[in-house]
Amino acid sequence: MTQPRRAAAAPIPDTEVPAPSEMPSPGRMEAFSDGVFAIIITLLVLDLRVPRLTALHGTLGAALLDQWPTYVAFTLSFLQVGVVWSNHHTMFHYIFRTDHKLLAYNLLLLMAVAVLPFTTAVLSEYIRGDDAQRRLAAQIYSGALMAVGVAFNAIWQHPLNAHLVHPHSDQHRLYALRRHWLLIPVLYAAAFALAFVNVYVSVTMYIVLLLYYALPGPFVLRRVTAWQARKELAA
Amino acid sequence: MTQPRRAAAAPIPDTEVPAPSEMPSPGRMEAFSDGVFAIIITLLVLDLRVPRLTALHGTLGAALLDQWPTYVAFTLSFLQVGVVWSNHHTMFHYIFRTDHKLLAYNLLLLMAVAVLPFTTAVLSEYIRGDDAQRRLAAQIYSGALMAVGVAFNAIWQHPLNAHLVHPHSDQHRLYALRRHWLLIPVLYAAAFALAFVNVYVSVTMYIVLLLYYALPGPFVLRRVTAWQARKELAA
Amino acid sequence: MTQPRRAAAAPIPDTEVPAPSEMPSPGRMEAFSDGVFAIIITLLVLDLRVPRLTALHGTLGAALLDQWPTYVAFTLSFLQVGVVWSNHHTMFHYIFRTDHKLLAYNLLLLMAVAVLPFTTAVLSEYIRGDDAQRRLAAQIYSGALMAVGVAFNAIWQHPLNAHLVHPHSDQHRLYALRRHWLLIPVLYAAAFALAFVNVYVSVTMYIVLLLYYALPGPFVLRRVTAWQARKELAA
Amino acid sequence: MTQPRRAAAAPIPDTEVPAPSEMPSPGRMEAFSDGVFAIIITLLVLDLRVPRLTALHGTLGAALLDQWPTYVAFTLSFLQVGVVWSNHHTMFHYIFRTDHKLLAYNLLLLMAVAVLPFTTAVLSEYIRGDDAQRRLAAQIYSGALMAVGVAFNAIWQHPLNAHLVHPHSDQHRLYALRRHWLLIPVLYAAAFALAFVNVYVSVTMYIVLLLYYALPGPFVLRRVTAWQARKELAA
């Protein structure tokens, strides 16, 4: 009548396990986000299609080159999502407790990120279109990144207010990061508006912003501080 | 003749490693579930299609707006799966040992969740259809969420019975959560039945339930308790 | 001239970190496998297609019912991959060190598992076909699961030989599991052969084996042992 | 008026939690990479298509055999990505701190790996083509693996320079691995060049290199060292 497996489930001693905190560590939120990011970043690989040998008109090289907007879209989208992931990684490095609000904001961020491959593909297809198409494509692209930026700031502002960051974090860095990320929605709103004037200004901004946010943390700020420190030392 | 790599595999001292428990921690179950959730939540992004420039009739704006049921389906499905994930996250916060039954129930939950993007897409396509189509779509949608609800309750009831929850968990909260989740299949069964009367009542219920289960834990219960406590303090 | 970030990278004190073992823990192998399993298990969801409202002939119900082989394939494939995952989970519960061979065997397992959605879909499509089609479909299905079984046994035999299992594991259970898993390729080879005689015998075996391997560990063995123990106690 | 949840968020005691390091452990980078690898390795499974029963011309066997380039592409791509993952696993076994540069190099590696299923499918389709097609397909294949190799070396060179490897790692092994991986881009560059002379030489190289890098670490080097040790012992 003995059931060894059930027996093992007897209540374990009181001292062994602490009560679960009401504010769990962000481990599982990071794991879920990483899964979503991993899928989104590879999404446009699905658009790389091998032309069938039997259906080929002209050379293979020409057929492959003909798909160039797909390659551009894949590369841009991969880099753009990669940069968002890398900033998400920086952000959660300082967060060590979560609550329900943080979880909700993070889901909204993931939803905004999920449309980036789509908006990137629209832009890379219609940059070859007429003026109106080009402008609309740029504004859709700006809009998605504005939404990403707003969600980013919601995520980051909340832990600062609700004491969810590591208690020993460098406060200067936390607020430098806030300024750093606060600029994202502002700058993409500017790119949105500038698309009415000249789409190529907006596109240039996308590339500059992609590269800037690929740099570690508040890069410029860090360099300015270091330069001031050197100047003071020299004086 | 020496094989340094094999040597490292010699039996390690007895005291170093404890015997593996028959009831492992749910770490890997969570990781696998997170992977499945991550895929399911992004599934409808695949339906966002860029209209080809050369195949475009009319403006780009019109072509994109024409896809609106796809956008509605993506948004609803993302939020619905996100809410399920968030409740799964709450649930497993209290579970710290697993057994085979829990694993089986969890697989059934994941299978039910996996069809949510499909049932959501059916609903958002046929809400524009005739009465019979609209009703069937709503009932399919209700049915999938009833299945999700049943699996949720199977998962949660089992650890309560089999001592798989953290031994120091707040018992009141565990049972408040049980009541909270017990309502899911009941309410979606009601939505199923009401679709015979008026589909829009069911659809309103979906939105209310989506928002309600997006709130942390037993939100209303918590508020009622807090309100009673305040009243008692005032008396 | 100061660069605080680079300074942090100075060599850390000797005592803090142990040298990396040549046989890492299987953590990352499990994480990678979980990712692959999560994708494979959801693969056939992609085949659930919403019939377009404007292209609908007849009722929505009829159009959806018409897709029934897709639903069967999805359900079977989900359960089959779920059962493989659950056995993989049991297996790696006892493995606590890895080497290169284990990693290679695990990759081969994942490759065999990756074709299960395909072979399941072939079977559920051609079970309605003629005799020759039905037989071939069953043999392809058996073949894939034979490959899964062979890989499973390679994975499990190796840690037993090379001391990669937890040193305090219950030896009886380890060898009971070996017998349990040794039967997989044998039984699917039998199902392969029986398909020449009668396909429905093979299909019945698939269902029985699916259910049997869904049970925890060597279920029958455990029950026999418990029954013997009870009989001895009664005597 | 009491809000128990908010109260729990009060600053926790100073001594409990250490300040977050500026150089986090690579845990999340590995998790994200594993997700991306898991998707890429299963990508070509999507190309395995079940011929519809009603659309079948000739036998099922013939229809399935007709898809053989798809099977070859899937198998090759799975093995190729699996070998890259396994080397990534070896590499990160020795890395225990990360910085922003490592993260960027890793993203570039993942981008190069993401195109491997595509370049493999091109090769397995056009190996049946004419001379020019075959050569181009081989050069695209070589090019993608050269890019993978370059990213691999960037990832590995950086931690060696910037003290991000485990401080107690065997230095000989670290530098043996460097030589091991330094050969990847060189050998694939050779395969690229040789495709001008004879494509089949390049294809032979792909198979040899796939097998060689499937072996653990610097396999040949290890064997040579062991052989020398044995010779010295014998002398």
Side-chain angles (χ1 to χ4, degrees), chain A residues 7-58:
Chain A
I12 48 165
D14 265 8
T15 48
E16 228 172 83
V17 192
S21 146
E22 271 224 41
M23 319 196 88
S25 75
R28 214 185 141 185
M29 227 165 101
E30 288 176 8
F32 175 65
S33 305
D34 281 347
V36 176
F37 275 115
I39 294 159
I40 296 170
I41 210 170
T42 43
L43 219 58
L44 290 192
V45 189
L46 293 170
D47 286 354
L48 302 181
R49 292 260 143 244
V50 180
R52 289 295 122 212
L53 174 57
T54 49
L56 198 68
H57 302 297

Side-chain angles (χ1 to χ4, degrees), chain A residues 139-181:
Chain A
Q139 288 176 338
I140 289 168
Y141 188 87
S142 309
L145 281 158
M146 273 166 67
V148 167
V150 168
F152 238 87
N153 282 288
I155 297 182
W156 188 234
Q157 188 57 47
H158 177 58
L160 291 184
N161 293 343
H163 301 293
L164 305 177
V165 289
H166 277 281
H168 295 286
S169 304
D170 175 351
Q171 296 293 316
H172 287 289
R173 186 155 165 76
L174 297 186
Y175 284 90
L177 283 170
R178 194 173 70 149
R179 281 191 301 275
H180 185 59
W181 289 323

Side-chain angles (χ1 to χ4, degrees), chain A residues 125-147:
Chain A
E125 178 80 14
Y126 286 95
I127 197 75
R128 299 172 298 163
D130 61 33
D131 269 7
Q133 291 171 340
R134 215 179 286 134
R135 190 188 310 127
L136 182 59
Q139 288 176 338
I140 289 168
Y141 188 87
S142 309
L145 281 158
M146 273 166 67

Side-chain angles (χ1 to χ4, degrees), chain A residues 196-219:
Chain A
F196 285 110
V197 185
N198 188 329
V199 171
Y200 295 107
V201 177
S202 305
V203 171
T204 310
M205 278 186 75
Y206 302 149
I207 294 168
V208 172
L209 288 174
L210 181 65
L211 294 176
Y212 180 66
Y213 282 99
L215 296 172
F219 184 77

Side-chain angles (χ1 to χ4, degrees), chain D residues 29 43 111 231 233-234:
Chain D
M29 228 166 102
L43 218 59
M111 191 158 77
K231 231 177 49 178
L233 272 174

